Amino acid sequence: MRKLDYAGAIREATTQEMERDSRVFVYGIGVPTWSSIFGTTKGIPEKFGKERCFDTPISEDAMTGFGLGAAIRGLRPIHVHIRVDFMILATNQLINMVSNYTYSTGGKLKVPLVVRAVIGRGWGQGAQHSKALFSNFTHIPGLKVIAPTTPSDMKGMMIAAIRDDNPVICFEHRWLYWAEEDVPEEPYEIPLGVGRILRPGKDVTVVGLSWMNVEARLAADILAKRGVSVEIVDPRTLAPLDENLIVESVKRTGRCIIADCDWVDSGFSAELSARINEKCFGKLKAPVKRIGFAQTPAPTVRELENEFYPNAKTIVHAVEDMLGLEAANLDGEDFFSHERRFRGPF
Amino acid sequence: MSFAREPLPKATTIKLFKSLFLARRSEEYIVKHYAENLMRTPMHMSMGQEFVCVGVCSALEGKADVFASYRSHAAFLAQTHDTDRFFSELYGRTSGTGEGKGGSMHLAAPDQGHILSSGVVATQIPVAVGAAFANRQLKTGRTSVVFFGDGAADAGVFWESINAAALFKLPVIFVCEDNGYAVDTPREARQVSKSLSDAVKPFGADTYEDDSGDVESVYSLAKEAVAKAHRDRRPAFLNVKCCRYLEHVGIGTDWNWGYRDQATVEREWIDRDALKVQRARLAKHQVTESAIAAMEDEIDKAIQASVKRASQAPIPTPDRLHAGVFYEKA
Ligand SMILES: Cc1ncc(C[n+]2csc(CCOP(=O)(O)OP(=O)(O)O)c2C)c(N)n1
Ligand SMILES: [Mg+2]
């Protein structure tokens, strides 16, 4: 096997599916341009031509309806948004149209549409280029929602999403694009709706969403040095949710921290917490704890950004709190800095 | 203007008459029976405007992919002539277009070229553009046609869609059923441009204005517009003036609302009702009164039979509520 990064996993999944199935095409603002959505569509226009990889007007609403129309008439579109914040303009189509036509036609229409959205903290992105908004979409029946964390999960889940006959929204945290690991070269599917235990443990379950799994791994390493064993569960698919995997983990550990890269109020963490409380009542040794954005718009200045976004430290302290441990001095620890790779501008 | 190219062949005149009559009589049935409270779905009636959809769908001879608004009855019946599934859906039966889950605003028969209908103003418009793209890529030879009201042209997505269709060189047929009102708000209170066609033209669509109120005019116009759209690889915008006879939603009239004058509407529209005009044309083609009556009788009987089948069809069982949120392979 060879190493591949997360952006490469998306590119490879897309390319292999476009080779296999001539109905697959990819489009969106900036998709065929030089910057190619963090490299995820690099080489695709040259290989497949303008009819199967193309740019669009800045008309998110119409271009989402366009994807729906293409999907119900026999193609398999992939629509890309370089920020979820811009996909808000597509929500009329996603929520009023895309999600409900299979149902309201008694199954006569199928909607094999993939919508990719980049999320997350960048580099001083402020309030309009940094959201996640998972629960805005998991709230809606008829939409599948995925947020893979690892490159190998991304490749298999992207292929599964493209082959799915239902609309799938794929959230991609921009800090994950450079994550690398061994990824099989041949095409493979990881079924949607199946979660994954990223790290087994016995004292506390951390349910991580997207990037927060990276932070959770670091937190788990730090805590392991103090004899605390953390289990990390990555749901991977948010809707439909692999509830059982999470519930069984929490029943084993008796403790649960949900680490989200989104707002906490009415966020996806609220849904997870509710389900864990419903299904694990009596087995919980402590109340479920949620970690996420501060309930403010995202600020720009670094010092406030650091307060706004949770990270491994937040998780370490939450675990300590839950287990009644003294707060450790984390001064010697090496935390992730996006700036090692990136110094702007976008 | 009028695009009527008289005389159309007798068979075409008959076909248009029958299709108009089917839509009109189906809605007259609804008007008569709505109060029984068995068709429990909001109805936006096409009555008066049927000639627009009938003219366009007939011109495409089954080769259309139709996208409609909530005012979907005439579009659906003009395209499919399927009164069985139509009434079954209105009665909420498993044999309906959406097994009772769609209702009047979501009529759909993709296998017959009525792809979908939508209740949120203008949402169906961009979908037709994507369908045209699929039709080109898959070389189906079908034409994407979208019906919408003058109110939908207030929406940004209408302009986005016209622009995208022209940019991508897609022969989408945009048909504005211009009844002059969005509910009771007149066009002048919502739009600055005197003529929608003039506003659309610079976006790169061929535009046509039809104020004939005549199904044969719309039919001939659609033939011309569709051929040109395919030949020149660009969208067409057909603004067809028409008149909604009933209230915005529901089966009553709305003369007491005060926003339009009954006498004026009767003089300008109802007196030259498209169905009446088309019936008179049959006589010119030497179709006898008894032959016309026989055609009408046949359609009435078909409607009655469909209603009977619908009322005898099963109502969905409660377990159907959760079924079909996601696509299930047949
Ligand atoms: C986006 C949206 N806004 C408001 C409404 C409420 N509404 C339903 S029909 C309608 C008027 C639309 O007028 P027009 O497009 O001219 O169609 P007509 O009803 O005349 O056929 C309005 C405002 C809606 N359904 N969708
Ligand atoms: Mg109107």
Side-chain angles (χ1 to χ4, degrees), chain A residues 92 96, chain B residues 44-45 49 69-71 105 118-124 148-155 176-185 190-191 242 244 248-249:
Chain A
N92 184 23
N96 278 322
Chain B
H44 301 77
M45 307 294 271
Q49 309 187 178
S69 75
Y70 46 86
R71 202 174 297 290
M105 289 195 274
S118 179
V120 179
V121 168
T123 45
Q124 74 278 20
F148 52 90
D150 52 297
D154 299 358
C176 180
E177 298 178 80
D178 182 1
N179 61 17
Y181 295 97
V183 192
D184 59 343
T185 309
R190 301 177 285 112
Q191 294 173 12
C242 58
R244 154 169 66 70
H248 167 71
V249 55

Side-chain angles (χ1 to χ4, degrees), chain A residues 78-336:
Chain A
I78 305 170
H79 190 195
V80 190
H81 298 276
I82 196 152
R83 293 284 185 275
V84 72
D85 314 65
F86 313 154
M87 193 167 81
I88 295 300
L89 281 90
T91 47
N92 184 23
Q93 284 292 326
L94 291 173
I95 295 174
N96 278 322
M97 303 289 284
V98 167
S99 66
N100 52 238
Y101 270 100
T102 293
Y103 190 77
S104 67
T105 59
K108 287 181 191 68
L109 291 177
K110 64 176 175 188
V111 186
L113 169 67
V114 176
V115 183
R116 293 176 41 201
V118 178
I119 61 168
R121 178 176 182 175
W123 183 84
Q125 298 289 325
Q128 295 178 335
H129 291 67
S130 57
K131 296 185 191 69
L133 303 175
F134 298 136
S135 57
N136 291 48
F137 301 95
T138 57
H139 186 59
I140 309 300
L143 299 179
K144 295 189 180 182
V145 179
I146 63 174
T149 304
T150 69
S152 57
D153 280 355
M154 175 47 105
K155 180 170 172 188
M157 291 175 74
M158 180 56 73
I159 289 179
I162 295 169
R163 294 180 186 175
D164 203 296
D165 282 333
N166 293 283
V168 180
I169 296 180
C170 178
F171 287 110
E172 305 161 14
H173 195 291
R174 53 178 298 183
W175 283 5
L176 291 171
Y177 285 123
W178 299 315
E180 261 189 4
E181 68 175 349
D182 287 341
V183 177
E185 280 176 52
E186 70 282 3
Y188 59 94
E189 273 186 74
I190 293 177
L192 307 188
V194 180
R196 174 182 179 190
I197 295 185
L198 282 180
R199 174 183 179 125
K202 54 184 198 322
D203 296 324
V204 55
T205 299
V206 174
V207 181
L209 292 160
S210 187
W211 172 258
M212 288 310 283
N213 284 305
V214 177
E215 301 286 355
R217 272 190 196 171
L218 182 53
D221 286 342
I222 293 168
L223 287 158
K225 290 189 249 172
R226 303 175 64 193
V228 178
S229 162
V230 173
E231 175 147 301
I232 303 175
V233 181
D234 181 359
R236 304 193 290 191
T237 299
L238 279 53
L241 183 66
D242 188 352
E243 184 183 277
N244 213 33
L245 184 79
I246 298 167
V247 165
E248 291 307 315
S249 169
V250 177
K251 279 185 179 166
R252 280 195 303 275
T253 62
R255 297 183 185 88
C256 183
I257 291 168
I258 301 161
D260 199 356
C261 46
D262 197 348
W263 285 298
V264 167
D265 290 21
S266 303
F268 190 66
S269 65
E271 176 67 27
L272 286 174
S273 173
R275 295 210 200 187
I276 292 162
N277 284 314
E278 283 161 11
K279 297 282 162 65
C280 303
F281 187 73
K283 302 268 188 201
L284 288 170
K285 297 176 193 151
V288 174
K289 164 92 184 155
R290 295 187 289 146
I291 289 171
F293 293 169
Q295 197 64 27
T296 68
T300 299
V301 61
R302 180 65 49 85
E303 287 69 14
L304 293 183
E305 257 193 333
N306 289 341
E307 289 295 309
F308 177 84
Y309 292 102
N311 64 8
K313 267 188 227 176
T314 330
I315 298 171
V316 169
H317 290 319
V319 171
E320 290 168 340
D321 212 36
M322 195 172 268
L323 294 172
L325 303 173
E326 292 268 299
N329 181 353
L330 299 174
D331 286 349
E333 299 293 348
D334 187 19
F335 289 102
F336 179 83

Side-chain angles (χ1 to χ4, degrees), chain A residues 51 54 59 61-63 65-66 69-70 72-73 75 92-93 97 101 103-105 107-110 142 144 165-166, chain B residues 65 85 97 101-102 106 110 115 117-118 123 126-127 130-131 133-134 137-138 160 168 321 323-327 329:
Chain A
E51 290 283 291
F54 54 91
S59 305
D61 187 358
M63 293 322 300
F66 177 96
I72 60 180
R73 295 316 281 156
L75 299 180
N92 184 23
Q93 284 292 326
M97 303 289 284
Y101 270 100
Y103 190 77
S104 67
T105 59
K108 287 181 191 68
L109 291 177
K110 64 176 175 188
K144 295 189 180 182
D165 282 333
N166 293 283
Chain B
D65 277 357
R85 288 209 269 177
T97 56
K101 290 168 174 172
H106 296 302
I115 313 303
S117 314
S118 179
T123 45
V127 187
F133 178 70
Q137 294 296 90
L138 300 171
E160 291 185 3
F168 298 155
L321 173 66
V325 174
F326 291 112
Y327 184 76
K329 282 202 172 65

